[in-house]
Amino acid sequence: MNRTQAALHALPSDLINKLCRSKVTRLSLKQMYTLGRHVLESKNQGALVIPAVFLHQELPIRLSHALKMLNSNMLPVNMSDMPTFQHIARSYLEDISMMTQMPKPSTPQLEEEFTALLRTLEQRHKIKMLAISRGFRELMENVQNQCTDSKPTNALYYHNGRGWAIDPEADKDIQTFFNRFYTINLGTRLLIGEHLALHDRGLNLVQRVNPLSISKRAIRDAQKVCAAHYGESAPSVLIHTPNPDISTTYVDEFLHRNIFELLKNAMRATCEAHLQKGSPISSSTSGSRAANFKLPPIKLVLVDGGEDVTIKISDEGGGMALSEMDKIWSYVHTGTSSSLRQPTSTPVKTQSIATPYQPQAPNTSTLLTSKVTSTEASQPKVLYPADSMTMMGGLASEAKDYLDLPLSGSGHGLPLARLIARYFGGDLSLISMEGYGTDSYLSLYRDDNHLENFPEQEEEMADEVDVFIKEIMVEPQQEILSSYLEPHFALSPSRASVSSLGGTSVNKSSPIQSVTSM
């Protein structure tokens, strides 16, 4: 019996079916913040029992919704046939098994054991996101290799008479799937990360944040990446805000990640439009003029409205054609494989009267990182470059991953940034003037009672999971996890010996309601 079959045998026969048909309990920023403050102000480790009991009931449902996505007909371009995606689906089953075999963490001692399991799940989740990123890249490479003079054997590309092009409907299907799948995982990681932050570091991930302070930190980080890429000083950033003391309830890492992504794009566009191999584009520029050449600054405007906090980031990077705008939200198109941010004419030079924000020498981001035990540190690492899919969840344990990415080319920065912005009622939009530049608008919804934007699931998906589980149970004796995933997805011996629940109730009332209603 392989590991996944063993995990299934440890579960009550109808548990997966019940979980797949259960609705998640969507939370608001206010509920998370209030509960976190209650835990921290109580200065009692026993206060962590309340969120632990909620997560013990909630996480298996959220994990089952991700499992449903991986076994639904929404999975595009035959991705479900790839071994990588099959391995990931099986690993979700093992996660659910570990969670439901864990006794209800109703005492401080059981809460400690449960938190240790959450650390394991957090690491496993990170590896799953790396694996699905790798699998998608492999799929795209295989599909592109098929696009020769002969007819391709896939539905992703078609020949438009001039060459092979991505089919718009297939691109839309891929975007729909990944938007839903990563939104599910975003919420799951947020809940796990919040509990680990409270337990290990004594702080909330959801807190009262100052957008101006976070913006300045994002500027330093983006300038560091830009300067390293071009070997030149990065564009300066002019900040304008009528109220420097704006505050709102939000997730620090979410806001930093989005502002950083927008600034990085703006800096890249500016440098590509005005520099050529590190020098001003104009070949007639004299030596003295080149020495005094300065890139046009990027402008960041931060305003505090009655309903929204809005951040506008403007560049003079040449803009994009209207016909190219939809591609910026695609998971298929990448910044290095398209002409999205290439100027079509010489950008207009303007003079700014604002005072530039010029930070001191760039430092490593001050984002906090989760504690890592010696056991976790000794686990094998995935020898594959990090990319923006890794930080879906955007939480502290992976906060630095996106800071280490190259300036462009991951192809997922903006789509993921918009998912993060929309998760609690905000949004991200871009308006571009071809030949001049682009304005990006990031809005944060001030109503902290707004619930998570967790996607609803179709009932048919649960039936598809039933078929998937039956197929696993009749598989021949074989090791189903590849050597790529095996070291990371091993069940802990201590967890495998935990007694079965003998039946997990999925009709729950949230234990956090008693706290957040105070």
Side-chain angles (χ1 to χ4, degrees):
M1 181 181 297
N2 61 46
R3 181 172 293 120
T4 307
Q5 289 173 328
L8 282 173
H9 275 293
L11 297 173
S13 59
D14 62 344
L15 178 59
I16 296 294
N17 187 286
K18 289 180 179 179
L19 291 172
C20 287
R21 287 175 166 79
S22 299
K23 290 187 177 181
V24 302
T25 300
R26 297 189 298 163
L27 302 179
S28 67
L29 287 169
K30 182 177 182 180
Q31 287 174 315
M32 296 185 200
Y33 176 76
T34 303
L35 177 60
R37 297 313 305 171
H38 168 76
V39 170
L40 297 178
E41 292 170 3
S42 68
K43 298 181 180 180
N44 180 359
Q45 198 73 7
L48 285 164
V49 167
I50 295 175
V53 169
F54 171 73
L55 292 182
H56 181 263
Q57 297 174 328
E58 178 71 12
L59 288 179
I61 297 176
R62 297 192 178 217
L63 293 170
S64 72
H65 280 229
L67 178 64
K68 283 193 292 187
M69 287 294 299
L70 290 172
N71 291 278
S72 72
N73 55 17
M74 291 186 64
L75 204 63
V77 207
N78 299 323
M79 288 166 59
S80 59
D81 296 333
M82 295 184 64
T84 298
F85 290 92
Q86 294 172 357
H87 298 160
I88 294 168
R90 289 175 168 91
S91 76
Y92 273 106
L93 279 175
E94 295 174 11
D95 289 349
I96 295 170
S97 178
M98 286 191 290
M99 282 291 301
T100 54
Q101 289 182 75
M102 172 67 66
K104 183 178 179 180
S106 55
T107 67
Q109 180 179 355
L110 290 174
E111 187 276 329
E112 288 285 348
E113 295 182 14
F114 180 73
T115 300
L117 174 59
L118 291 184
R119 297 190 191 100
T120 299
L121 291 179
E122 184 182 49
Q123 178 66 11
R124 287 168 61 90
H125 180 95
K126 177 178 180 179
I127 295 166
K128 280 195 280 287
M129 295 302 101
L130 283 167
I132 201 168
S133 170
R134 175 187 180 184
F136 183 68
R137 285 197 298 267
E138 290 174 351
L139 173 66
M140 293 304 301
E141 290 172 2
N142 292 336
V143 169
Q144 291 167 2
N145 290 336
Q146 295 171 8
C147 292
T148 61
D149 293 338
S150 60
K151 184 178 180 180
T153 58
N154 63 80
L156 183 55
Y157 283 84
Y158 74 100
H159 202 284
N160 60 12
R162 300 184 302 272
W164 295 107
I166 297 173
D167 180 79
E169 289 302 316
D171 189 7
K172 182 179 179 181
D173 289 343
I174 291 174
Q175 183 174 335
T176 298
F177 170 79
F178 279 109
N179 281 350
R180 293 170 69 94
F181 182 75
Y182 286 119
T183 300
I184 290 172
N185 285 278
L186 176 67
T188 302
R189 282 297 311 276
L190 176 59
L191 294 187
I192 293 175
E194 175 74 2
H195 189 82
L196 293 180
L198 290 170
H199 185 282
D200 296 345
R201 306 202 303 272
L203 57 85
N204 305 61
L205 290 184
V206 179
Q207 53 189 269
R208 296 294 295 179
V209 300
N210 177 262
L212 179 59
S213 174
I214 296 174
S215 296
K216 291 180 178 180
R217 198 168 75 234
I219 290 171
R220 290 195 296 268
D221 293 328
Q223 287 179 323
K224 181 180 178 181
V225 172
C226 182
H229 181 84
Y230 290 103
E232 295 282 335
S233 297
S236 61
V237 179
L238 311 181
I239 296 179
H240 173 72
T241 178
N243 180 12
D245 298 322
I246 297 173
S247 66
T248 189
T249 304
Y250 206 63
V251 183
D252 183 289
E253 287 87 347
F254 281 10
L255 184 54
H256 178 277
R257 185 251 187 255
N258 277 4
I259 297 174
F260 170 79
E261 181 65 32
L262 296 176
L263 286 169
K264 189 175 67 169
N265 284 353
M267 290 179 184
R268 180 205 169 198
T270 300
C271 290
E272 293 291 329
H274 295 270
L275 294 179
Q276 187 176 34
K277 296 181 180 180
S279 302
I281 285 179
S282 175
S283 59
S284 62
T285 303
S286 64
S288 59
R289 182 180 176 186
N292 296 325
F293 177 81
K294 289 185 178 180
L295 293 167
I298 293 164
K299 305 174 185 66
L300 187 151
V301 180
L302 172 62
V303 295
D304 184 17
E307 186 171 303
D308 305 301
V309 173
T310 304
I311 300 169
K312 182 177 84 166
I313 296 174
S314 305
D315 67 62
E316 298 176 31
M320 293 170 279
L322 183 61
S323 61
E324 299 289 330
M325 287 297 292
D326 286 344
K327 295 180 181 178
I328 64 178
W329 310 117
S330 169
Y331 293 94
V332 176
H333 297 276
T334 67
T336 56
S337 64
S338 67
S339 57
L340 294 185
R341 301 304 296 260
Q342 299 301 321
T344 57
S345 60
T346 303
V348 179
K349 297 292 194 302
T350 61
Q351 182 177 5
S352 175
I353 60 174
T355 302
Y357 168 70
Q358 294 286 9
Q360 298 176 353
N363 297 317
T364 303
S365 171
T366 56
L367 290 176
L368 295 169
T369 57
S370 295
K371 289 184 177 179
V372 179
T373 65
S374 58
T375 301
E376 293 170 328
S378 63
Q379 291 179 342
K381 299 295 184 180
V382 177
L383 300 179
Y384 207 83
D387 73 13
S388 55
M389 287 189 177
T390 305
M391 44 70 57
M392 273 311 301
L395 303 181
S397 65
E398 295 172 355
K400 291 186 179 179
D401 285 354
Y402 63 87
L403 299 177
D404 296 332
L405 292 175
L407 188 66
S408 64
S410 66
H412 302 94
L414 284 175
L416 298 183
R418 187 167 67 168
L419 293 182
I420 293 173
R422 290 179 171 178
Y423 197 68
F424 285 108
D427 206 354
L428 172 61
S429 60
L430 272 68
I431 299 176
S432 191
M433 296 176 63
E434 185 181 15
Y436 182 76
T438 301
D439 291 343
S440 304
Y441 293 86
L442 175 63
S443 299
L444 311 180
Y445 191 34
R446 294 192 67 97
D447 183 4
D448 56 10
N449 285 306
H450 190 280
L451 299 177
E452 298 171 88
N453 184 28
F454 200 94
E456 296 293 335
Q457 300 292 326
E458 288 81 5
E459 182 69 19
E460 298 78 37
M461 292 185 182
D463 297 330
E464 292 162 353
V465 172
D466 289 340
V467 174
F468 169 70
I469 292 174
K470 291 177 182 178
E471 291 174 349
I472 289 179
M473 298 309 293
V474 298
E475 283 180 347
Q477 300 297 315
Q478 62 181 356
E479 188 61 48
I480 60 174
L481 291 185
S482 66
S483 58
Y484 169 69
L485 297 173
E486 177 70 30
H488 305 280
F489 288 154
L491 288 169
S492 168
S494 62
R495 298 301 165 208
S497 63
V498 176
S499 60
S500 172
L501 290 176
T504 300
S505 172
V506 294
N507 296 319
K508 61 188 185 300
S509 59
S510 172
I512 70 172
Q513 297 295 334
S514 59
V515 176
T516 57
S517 61
M518 292 190 306

